[in-house]
């Protein structure tokens, strides 16, 4: 059982790292678009990154729990306070 928890923890950590990388790419792309707003390839890349982030975020929240307080989907429980919060995994 402990191995499953360890695997799940590693998977959540890997997904958080992937989300951080996507956030970095999104910010950099947005900064580029601020300077070159008429660049169609950059705009297309931005939207592809947004779609990829939304997909990965959905997977992360299904398997690991809410990433933010706005991600609590349950109508019957406040899942945000269950388990370690997203930033607590890195400390363990």
């Amino acid at each position: 059982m402990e191995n499953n928890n360890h695997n799940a923890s590693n998977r959540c950590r890997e997904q958080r790292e992937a989300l951080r990388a996507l956030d970095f790419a999104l910010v950099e792309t947005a900064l580029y678009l601020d300077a070159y707003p008429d660049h169609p390839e950059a705009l297309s890349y931005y939207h592809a990154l947004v779609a990829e982030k939304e997909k990965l975020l959905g997977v992360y929240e299904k398997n690991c729990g809410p990433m933010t307080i706005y991600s609590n989907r349950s109508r019957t429980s406040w899942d945000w306070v269950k388990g370690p919060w997203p930033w607590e995994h890195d400390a363990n």
Side-chain angles (χ1 to χ4, degrees):
M1 185 65 132
E2 185 175 319
N3 194 27
N4 284 343
N5 289 340
H6 181 70
N7 289 340
S9 177
N10 283 341
R11 189 170 41 254
C12 290
R13 184 177 304 113
E14 289 169 3
Q15 290 173 352
R16 273 193 316 279
E17 288 301 317
L19 285 164
R20 286 183 186 127
L22 284 168
D23 281 339
F24 177 82
L26 278 164
V27 168
E28 290 297 309
T29 304
L31 290 171
Y32 181 86
L33 284 165
D34 285 347
Y36 305 99
D38 298 324
H39 195 277
E41 291 89 358
L43 188 57
S44 178
Y45 181 65
Y46 169 82
H47 286 290
L49 288 173
V50 168
E52 187 176 346
K53 181 181 176 179
E54 288 173 354
K55 180 180 175 184
L56 182 55
L57 186 58
V59 171
Y60 176 87
E61 289 180 337
K62 179 181 177 190
N63 296 320
C64 306
M67 179 64 81
T68 70
I69 60 171
Y70 308 111
S71 303
N72 196 86
R73 302 291 181 237
S74 175
R75 299 267 184 201
T76 59
S77 68
W78 186 241
D79 294 339
W80 172 247
V81 296
K82 293 180 182 176
W85 289 347
W87 58 86
E88 291 181 315
H89 288 285
D90 294 337
N92 297 320

